[in-house]
Amino acid sequence: LNFSYWLYNKLKFNLQPFTGAFFKVMLVSLISLLPGIFLPQINFFVFDIIIRSLIVGLVFVGLSYKAKISMDINDFIDQIISKLKIIK
């Protein structure tokens, strides 16, 4: 059924909902999920949630930045990096 929706959009309107950026996001998401799965559990679940979230989030942001998925996000991160370099 989803394939028929895709085919209809492609043939009727010449729209392609899946671009290279979509597949980059999917790959980055899957890679970012791996550290959260394979990290050993911490007994206190609040610290476990905080640490896993930080690690997965940092991996996702870092890979997204390196893959240049969104120029807006890259510009924002570049601004933050330049501000941090001025402070130091």
Side-chain angles (χ1 to χ4, degrees), residues 1-29:
L1 190 60
N2 285 334
F3 178 74
S4 63
Y5 292 146
W6 173 82
L7 188 61
Y8 177 77
N9 282 330
K10 182 66 176 163
L11 296 177
K12 181 80 173 174
F13 304 111
N14 198 22
L15 293 175
Q16 172 66 356
F18 304 113
T19 62
F22 172 79
F23 294 110
K24 283 183 185 179
V25 169
M26 294 303 295
L27 182 64
V28 166
S29 299

Side-chain angles (χ1 to χ4, degrees), residues 56-76:
V56 169
L58 288 173
V59 169
F60 182 81
V61 170
L63 288 175
S64 297
Y65 180 74
K66 288 292 185 184
K68 297 181 182 177
I69 293 172
S70 169
M71 293 313 295
D72 292 334
I73 293 173
N74 279 29
D75 291 341
F76 180 71

